[in-house]
Amino acid sequence: MTLRALCVPGPTGAGKTAAAIALARAVGGGVVNFDSRQVFADFPVITAQPTAEERAACPHLLYGFLPTAESLSAGAYADLARQAVEETAARGMVPILVGGTGFYLRALLAPLAPIPPTPAAIRAAVQARWEEQGTALHEALARLDPTAAARIHPHDQQRVTRALEVLEATGRTLSDWHREGAVGPGWEVLKLGVALPAAALRERLAARITVMLAAGAVAEARAALVQCPDRTAPGWSGIGCAELGAHLAGEMDLDAACDLWLRNTRAYAKRQMTWFRRDASIRWFEPGQEGAMIQAARGFLSGNMPG
RNA sequence: GCCGGGGUAGCUCAGUUGGUAGAGCAGGGGACUGAAAAUCCCCGUGUCGGGAGUUCAACUCUCUCCCCCGGCA
């Protein structure tokens, strides 16, 4: 029988956690995270991970397990998440994917090309070339892999260097790898998104920072700085983490850090919506509409409704 | 009151020797195949504080008034 899962995508601060818990209670579910920041162990408050009380409602997987110094690639995430989903289903529970990282969700459901991890040494070498040559690297890529180069903007450091890394590490071009279709997990997934109008979301985001500060966000960042003083480490790039880190390093006062934190959060929420809007399979709800979400979920799980 | 420094895009500011203005941030839209809360792309007419004068032409020079910020009284 095909595995059926629920998915709750949406921008940061829209109320996904509450909706997911309501769904989990109603259908006997277990939550699996697909948020690239809530995986970090040192930032439970700043990344708005579910609280202990919330987690007590049902199993929660893939939250708060990664050290600040480590990164989790989309591919590595997908492997972990696939296991987590299958494990949840094996326990007789409905997997409920919850999060805001569209790329992670795609990596899990639509899988990535099966490219092996690129060695750190090659990656470092390509980065060094970018530092020296910058945009000219795109010209090199255009000669080696014109298809990939055509799709990547010359200024896009991450994608230009990634394409070159893959070529050097595997001897095959990125576009060649992409031609090779990957096999998806074959699950049936019902996507019930949580979002709200921009003006309303803004208010929530501002209020949420106040709540996070009251919940010890600054102390959390201070403790994280002891654990991992290198603020260029992956975990420190989270919104709120970076700004509070800068504040603790004496680069700005707390008010300035919080202003920046809020602005960056808003911009991020906008980018998330750009990603999710494209996904026509998402049915959207506003916070507080848990009843309707549960109804839709029950219909889907009873098998009478196509995903 | 006097002496400086200012008043230009929602905010912070650039504007060479006069040719009616442009960056960053914010805001809006978009992309996204292992860094993704990342990375990147597109979108800028605004009484250039008000008024007058000089000039073919003034954000730019002159006068005057108003308002900020320092310092001296």
Side-chain angles (χ1 to χ4, degrees), chain A residues 17 21 38 44 49-65:
Chain A
T17 297
I21 287 169
Q38 295 185 343
Q49 292 173 33
T51 62
E53 290 83 354
E54 288 167 328
R55 292 166 75 147
C58 68
H60 278 69
L61 300 177
L62 302 185
Y63 287 95
F65 65 93

Side-chain angles (χ1 to χ4, degrees), chain A residues 182-298:
Chain A
V183 181
W187 307 328
E188 278 181 38
V189 179
L190 177 68
K191 294 175 186 165
L192 306 168
V194 181
L196 62 173
L201 183 61
R202 282 168 165 242
E203 284 177 31
R204 278 186 167 235
L205 294 177
R208 196 171 68 151
I209 286 178
T210 306
V211 169
M212 286 177 175
L213 289 170
V218 175
E220 178 173 288
R222 192 176 288 120
L225 209 47
V226 173
Q227 285 292 310
C228 177
D230 176 13
R231 289 195 292 122
T232 65
W236 277 111
S237 68
I239 294 166
C241 307
E243 294 82 354
L244 291 179
H247 166 244
L248 292 173
E251 290 164 22
M252 60 180 79
D253 64 37
L254 186 57
D255 283 349
C258 290
D259 283 352
L260 190 59
W261 180 3
L262 178 58
R263 276 187 275 140
N264 288 336
T265 305
R266 287 204 292 243
Y268 170 54
K270 187 170 96 67
R271 267 178 276 137
Q272 286 178 299
M273 283 313 295
T274 298
W275 185 289
F276 291 128
R277 257 195 296 259
R278 267 214 327 186
D279 186 345
S281 69
I282 300 174
R283 281 185 60 185
W284 289 103
F285 297 85
E286 293 205 359
Q289 296 186 309
E290 280 81 11
M293 293 176 78
I294 288 166
Q295 199 179 5
R298 284 192 171 133

